């Protein structure tokens, strides 16, 4: 079973739409959770950390469900500039992070 | 801001050549990582280092070695490059503790002919 699983998409949504991504993880002992954003031919960059109580950063909301071992990312009022691949990331062993393969989002005019 | 730099953005090498990819970080981070990223396969960890002269194998270490002689620098070595090592190589660093965010360099797109 893969450590972190995401729907690869692509998700094609119109500007202004709300879109949600989920990912599931297999290691119940994981302690840290992140969403990264990766633009085409660029390096991954941290979008936001995910906290147990859920957290919001502007149009972005992240939720963690430890019992079901899944993480979600909600994007409200989508912008063209939100088009990217979103990577779900979960802490693994002592040093490593486990990266999902990413979900591709395309926001269209 | 944390800065992670990689020696080359694009590199073209021939089969059998020895290839060095260099990574430097300026935030005094203890941990450094080398990944490769291929379409459909996502990020795969090759090697990581949690201290100077310390290294650990990741998920796909075969055909690679690493060197960390100074805290800020982590090198990836392809002893004898092969065509299946054509890929995007990404270096990352993070502060002490496996729960911390990783900061990535811009990547090196390596083509082996």
């Amino acid at each position: 079973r893969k450590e972190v699983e995401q729907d690869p998409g692509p998700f094609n949504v119109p500007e202004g739409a709300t879109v949600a991504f989920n990912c599931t993880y297999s290691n119940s002992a994981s302690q840290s959770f992140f969403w990264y954003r990766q633009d085409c031919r660029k390096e991954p960059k941290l979008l936001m950390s995910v906290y147990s109580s859920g957290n919001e950063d502007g149009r972005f909301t992240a939720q963690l469900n430890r019992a079901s071992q899944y993480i979600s990312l909600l994007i409200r009022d989508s912008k063209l500039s939100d088009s990217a691949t979103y990577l779900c990331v979960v802490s693994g062993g002592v040093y490593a992070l486990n990266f999902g393969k990413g979900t591709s989002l395309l926001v269209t005019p | 801001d944390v800065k992670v730099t990689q020696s080359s953005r694009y590199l073209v090498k021939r089969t059998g050549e020895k290839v060095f990819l260099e990574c430097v970080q300026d935030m005094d981070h203890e941990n450094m990582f080398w990944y490769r990223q291929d379409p459909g396969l996502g990020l795969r960890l090759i090697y990581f280092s949690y201290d100077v002269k310390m290294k650990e194998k990741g998920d796909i270490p075969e055909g690679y070695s690493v060197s960390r002689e100074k805290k800020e620098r982590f090198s990836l070595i392809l002893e004898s490059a092969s065509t299946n090592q054509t890929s995007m190589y990404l270096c990352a660093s993070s502060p002490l503790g496996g729960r911390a965010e990783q900061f990535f360099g811009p990547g090196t797109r390596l083509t082996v002919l």
Side-chain angles (χ1 to χ4, degrees), chain A residues 31-34 36 38 41-46 49 87 91-101, chain B residues 9 31 33 35 37 40-43 45 48 50 88 90 97-106 109:
Chain A
Q31 294 293 319
S32 299
F33 308 89
F34 307 96
Y36 275 67
Q38 187 172 23
R41 296 185 175 275
K42 298 279 190 178
E43 73 273 23
K45 292 184 179 178
L46 181 70
S49 300
L87 306 176
S91 62
V94 177
Y95 301 102
L97 296 178
N98 292 315
F99 288 80
K101 293 181 181 178
Chain B
R9 293 299 303 272
N31 303 326
F33 306 84
Y35 296 89
Q37 187 174 32
L41 297 177
L43 278 163
L45 182 64
F48 67 96
Y50 53 88
M88 169 68 89
L90 288 155
R99 304 175 185 181
E101 170 195 354
Q102 291 182 13
F103 298 85
F104 284 84
R109 188 165 293 279

Side-chain angles (χ1 to χ4, degrees), chain B residues 3-19:
Chain B
K3 194 161 184 185
V4 181
T5 56
Q6 296 184 228
S7 49
S8 306
R9 293 299 303 272
Y10 299 94
L11 207 53
V12 179
K13 295 291 181 182
R14 297 215 173 266
T15 302
E17 282 192 78
K18 191 168 186 175
V19 181

Side-chain angles (χ1 to χ4, degrees), chain A residues 4-106:
Chain A
V4 181
E5 295 203 54
Q6 297 180 249
D7 180 345
F11 284 62
N12 293 328
V13 302
E15 263 186 300
T18 295
V19 61
F21 309 135
N22 292 325
C23 94
T24 58
Y25 62 95
S26 60
N27 185 354
S28 59
S30 294
Q31 294 293 319
S32 299
F33 308 89
F34 307 96
W35 282 100
Y36 275 67
R37 171 194 169 124
Q38 187 172 23
D39 294 302
C40 188
R41 296 185 175 275
K42 298 279 190 178
E43 73 273 23
K45 292 184 179 178
L46 181 70
L47 178 66
M48 59 196 301
S49 300
V50 186
Y51 303 118
S52 295
S53 54
N55 47 299
E56 192 172 303
D57 183 2
R59 298 182 293 109
F60 299 84
T61 300
Q63 298 271 355
L64 168 64
N65 185 319
R66 284 188 184 273
S68 301
Q69 294 180 211
Y70 82 78
I71 305 154
S72 65
L73 177 68
L74 184 77
I75 306 174
R76 291 182 299 277
D77 189 22
S78 298
K79 312 289 185 194
L80 295 177
S81 57
D82 293 334
S83 298
T85 297
Y86 291 83
L87 306 176
C88 177
V89 185
V90 175
S91 62
V94 177
Y95 301 102
L97 296 178
N98 292 315
F99 288 80
K101 293 181 181 178
T103 298
S104 176
L105 172 64
L106 179 62

Side-chain angles (χ1 to χ4, degrees), chain B residues 31-97:
Chain B
N31 303 326
M32 296 188 75
F33 306 84
W34 274 107
Y35 296 89
R36 64 178 283 177
Q37 187 174 32
D38 301 286
L41 297 177
L43 278 163
R44 292 182 291 168
L45 182 64
I46 304 171
Y47 267 98
F48 67 96
S49 169
Y50 53 88
D51 201 354
V52 175
K53 297 191 186 295
M54 305 303 289
K55 61 186 179 185
E56 292 284 343
K57 292 180 180 179
D59 300 318
I60 51 162
E62 296 79 20
Y64 303 94
S65 61
V66 291
S67 172
R68 192 162 181 205
E69 296 296 319
K70 293 185 177 181
K71 190 175 186 179
E72 67 271 19
R73 188 179 299 268
F74 193 34
S75 302
L76 180 69
I77 303 148
L78 286 67
E79 295 289 342
S80 177
S82 62
T83 55
N84 63 12
Q85 292 179 309
T86 291
S87 186
M88 169 68 89
Y89 289 88
L90 288 155
C91 174
S93 73
S94 74
L96 190 64

